[in-house]
Amino acid sequence: MLMLRKYPNIKWNMAVILTCHIFLWMAGNEAVDIDWYVQLAPLPYLKENPFQAIWYLHGCPPGLSIAWYLTHLFGSWQYDVLHLITIGLHLLSYYWLNAVVKKVFQNSIYNWVLFGLMLNPLWFIYFKYPFYSTFLFGIVSGWLYVHYCQPDRNKQLIRISLLLSLACLFRSSWHLIIVTGLTLWYFPKTNTKAKVIAICFLLLPFSVYLKNYLVFGTFSGTTWSAMNWANGNHIPCKEGVASIPAFSPILAYENILPSLKNQSTKYPEIAQLHEGNVHDIRIIEVNKAYQIKRDSCFSLSHSLGIWAKEGFWHYLESPAEYTFLYKGNHEGKVTQGIIETQFPFTDFFNLPNYVRVGKSGKPLVLNLSVYTFLYPFIVLILCWHFKQLSNADKLLLVVLLFFSGAYSFIDFIESNRMRVEIEPLWYFFGFKAFTLVQLYWQKKLRKNYSKTLA
């Protein structure tokens, strides 16, 4: 206990994390293969003409494709470089979060708990996964650091506008309107120069939205938005395009949408837009058809029922349950990654699954974890003590609740993996909730003690 009264030595702790990564790397745990992901610009075109491939990418923002291409320049060392980058993100994220916890809570025990959390095998898995969830974990950790540990308002605005712009470039759910609104929150009490620089950073994701509008007729970061809703079963009527699984090849929709049988006359010289997959320019028409069906058939009660039965539970599963992390999984598509057999357990907070067979004989399976019970409890405490939170805390709590709701509601199937993006916020508000409970009981005990003396 004497050791816990002193703040941990951040350099030694980072050395421990790095040593664990090196050991696992030497044991054969490589950076996870993402070459087959549709979130990347089509790789043959990306390698041949990167500017053109990214310019005509319409299904998702270009951040991940740019990162993939830049590391591709290292040749056969590409995934080694990606691995070093993600390990660096683990170390940086811990450094930033440790500084936040130390500054906000001034309790050395919390910093030791944070170190224990960052030693969770879960993070030695995810920080070998060069996908946007991992990058966003680092971005959100950096945002927390600047939010609480940067006293200079001008520097705070500039750095946060950069971080939020990067988030928007990596992930379409971090919509331009959202990141712009969050950046504007930091505008008061800053000088003109800081505001201009912040706006310049925001112009980076804005340029992607503008490009999509000029080239594809849609002012957005993705042309797949309605298909994401369909993927989460939010279109209760099953006729027309709604009868076909979302993200199917163009060929599957041709009987429903006859116009798709003809190759688009728009940009006929751009081969990547005419291959019949989700990068095909005709997928925009498919997405609009899903959107029309969603708007006409959407039922809030139906969708809330799905959230209660599926979305809520998937979101609170251990992120380690995401199978695409492990070598050999997903029909062998994951050619390199984590060797699951080398991990006696993949997450400190995973629990045995709950299985119950109903009268119909169909089993009910819940992938339970400590998160299933702890995170809703944290939200209840924070809402109960909402007035005691600072405005800075309230802003981040709204962000946490918004993305938690969006990921668990819309396309919930991979929402446990999506939660990784905002896990730093869960850690921070976990400490905040514990502090609020502690202060509440201390106040109550003092009150009872005063009554006893009286």
Side-chain angles (χ1 to χ4, degrees):
M1 285 300 294
L2 184 62
M3 181 187 74
L4 295 179
R5 292 177 184 175
K6 296 181 179 179
Y7 285 101
N9 186 311
I10 187 68
K11 292 181 181 177
W12 279 106
N13 287 2
M14 291 174 72
V16 170
I17 292 172
L18 179 60
T19 301
C20 291
H21 272 294
I22 293 172
F23 175 79
L24 288 167
W25 197 345
M26 292 173 63
N29 293 276
E30 304 172 281
V32 180
D33 168 33
I34 62 169
D35 285 8
W36 52 279
Y37 276 36
V38 296
Q39 288 86 353
L40 292 171
L43 295 190
Y45 304 103
L46 187 60
K47 294 173 183 178
E48 181 184 344
N49 190 334
F51 177 81
Q52 180 174 285
I54 290 171
W55 179 262
Y56 290 104
L57 177 68
H58 56 80
C60 48
L64 187 66
S65 294
I66 293 170
W68 191 95
Y69 174 73
L70 291 176
T71 55
H72 160 72
L73 298 177
F74 289 88
S76 61
W77 292 87
Q78 177 183 20
Y79 274 90
D80 294 322
V81 173
L82 280 168
H83 200 164
L84 288 172
I85 290 170
T86 52
I87 290 172
L89 278 175
H90 191 178
L91 296 171
L92 265 178
S93 297
Y94 170 57
Y95 177 86
W96 286 330
L97 293 175
N98 181 75
V100 170
V101 172
K102 186 175 181 180
K103 175 72 178 294
V104 175
F105 301 105
Q106 300 179 5
N107 186 330
S108 59
I109 293 177
Y110 285 7
N111 290 83
W112 283 108
V113 172
L114 175 68
F115 178 52
L117 291 171
M118 297 304 281
L119 284 178
N120 190 342
L122 177 71
W123 301 125
F124 291 96
I125 292 172
Y126 266 89
F127 284 101
K128 298 184 187 310
Y129 183 42
F131 197 41
Y132 53 62
S133 301
T134 307
F135 288 106
L136 277 160
F137 184 104
I139 289 170
V140 172
S141 298
W143 181 18
L144 274 167
Y145 176 73
V146 178
H147 186 78
Y148 286 107
C149 300
Q150 175 53 259
D152 187 302
R153 296 278 298 183
N154 295 309
K155 291 180 180 178
Q156 185 185 61
L157 171 62
I158 292 169
R159 293 172 183 176
I160 285 176
S161 65
L162 173 60
L163 289 166
L164 292 176
S165 295
L166 288 173
C168 189
L169 287 170
F170 267 94
R171 185 80 156 98
S172 59
S173 57
W174 290 73
H175 196 279
L176 179 64
I177 293 175
I178 295 172
V179 300
T180 301
L182 291 170
T183 303
L184 289 174
W185 192 87
Y186 296 92
F187 262 53
K189 299 180 182 179
T190 57
N191 60 33
T192 303
K193 181 181 177 181
K195 290 183 175 74
V196 170
I197 295 173
I199 291 170
C200 288
F201 282 135
L202 288 173
L203 286 176
L204 294 172
F206 173 80
S207 66
V208 173
Y209 279 64
L210 181 61
K211 180 269 296 183
N212 283 345
Y213 177 73
L214 296 174
V215 177
F216 300 109
T218 172
F219 189 77
S220 64
T222 175
T223 55
W224 298 345
S225 56
M227 288 194 292
N228 284 322
W229 283 82
N231 207 38
N233 195 23
H234 293 287
I235 305 179
C237 49
K238 295 302 178 187
E239 64 270 2
V241 71
S243 64
I244 302 172
F247 298 102
S248 295
I250 293 292
L251 186 64
Y253 301 100
E254 288 184 350
N255 289 335
I256 305 296
L257 302 169
S259 60
L260 297 177
K261 293 179 181 179
N262 302 317
Q263 287 288 342
S264 175
T265 57
K266 200 170 185 181
Y267 310 113
E269 74 284 4
I270 308 300
Q272 78 183 58
L273 295 177
H274 304 282
E275 294 200 331
N277 55 28
V278 292
H279 294 293
D280 195 299
I281 194 169
R282 291 171 293 171
I283 207 73
I284 298 172
E285 184 180 342
V286 173
N287 187 71
K288 288 179 180 176
Y290 275 117
Q291 186 173 335
I292 291 169
K293 277 294 179 185
R294 183 199 64 192
D295 293 346
S296 63
C297 299
F298 181 77
S299 165
L300 182 59
S301 59
H302 170 80
S303 291
L304 286 175
I306 293 171
W307 179 83
K309 293 176 183 177
E310 299 271 4
F312 174 83
W313 304 98
H314 276 295
Y315 177 75
L316 294 172
E317 288 176 3
S318 166
E321 296 283 346
Y322 186 60
T323 60
F324 294 172
L325 298 165
Y326 305 106
K327 190 173 182 177
N329 278 4
H330 200 58
E331 301 173 351
K333 287 185 179 179
V334 187
T335 58
Q336 64 180 55
I338 308 304
I339 303 172
E340 194 170 7
T341 54
Q342 291 188 359
F343 285 79
F345 48 91
T346 54
D347 187 354
F348 287 153
F349 301 108
N350 216 351
L351 295 174
N353 292 347
Y354 171 79
V355 181
R356 182 175 67 84
V357 179
K359 293 181 181 179
S360 64
K362 186 178 179 180
L364 170 66
V365 181
L366 297 177
N367 294 324
L368 296 178
S369 68
V370 174
Y371 312 108
T372 310
F373 309 100
L374 179 61
Y375 283 4
F377 184 63
I378 288 172
V379 171
L380 287 173
I381 292 171
L382 294 171
C383 290
W384 185 262
H385 296 278
F386 189 75
K387 291 182 179 180
Q388 294 175 246
L389 300 177
S390 67
N391 289 334
D393 292 340
K394 289 174 182 176
L395 174 74
L396 293 178
L397 179 59
V398 169
V399 171
L400 174 65
L401 295 178
F402 171 80
F403 283 108
S404 296
Y407 292 154
S408 62
F409 186 84
I410 299 173
D411 184 6
F412 58 83
I413 296 170
E414 299 179 17
S415 57
N416 58 332
R417 187 262 304 158
M418 298 177 195
R419 203 189 75 226
V420 167
E421 300 173 20
I422 53 174
E423 202 75 3
L425 294 175
W426 278 115
Y427 286 176
F428 174 81
F429 282 112
F431 290 127
K432 177 67 71 172
F434 185 84
T435 300
L436 290 169
V437 170
Q438 192 178 33
L439 291 172
Y440 172 80
W441 283 108
Q442 285 177 353
K443 186 177 179 180
K444 196 166 187 177
L445 287 172
R446 282 197 299 269
K447 188 175 181 180
N448 290 337
Y449 182 69
S450 299
K451 285 181 179 180
T452 304
L453 291 176

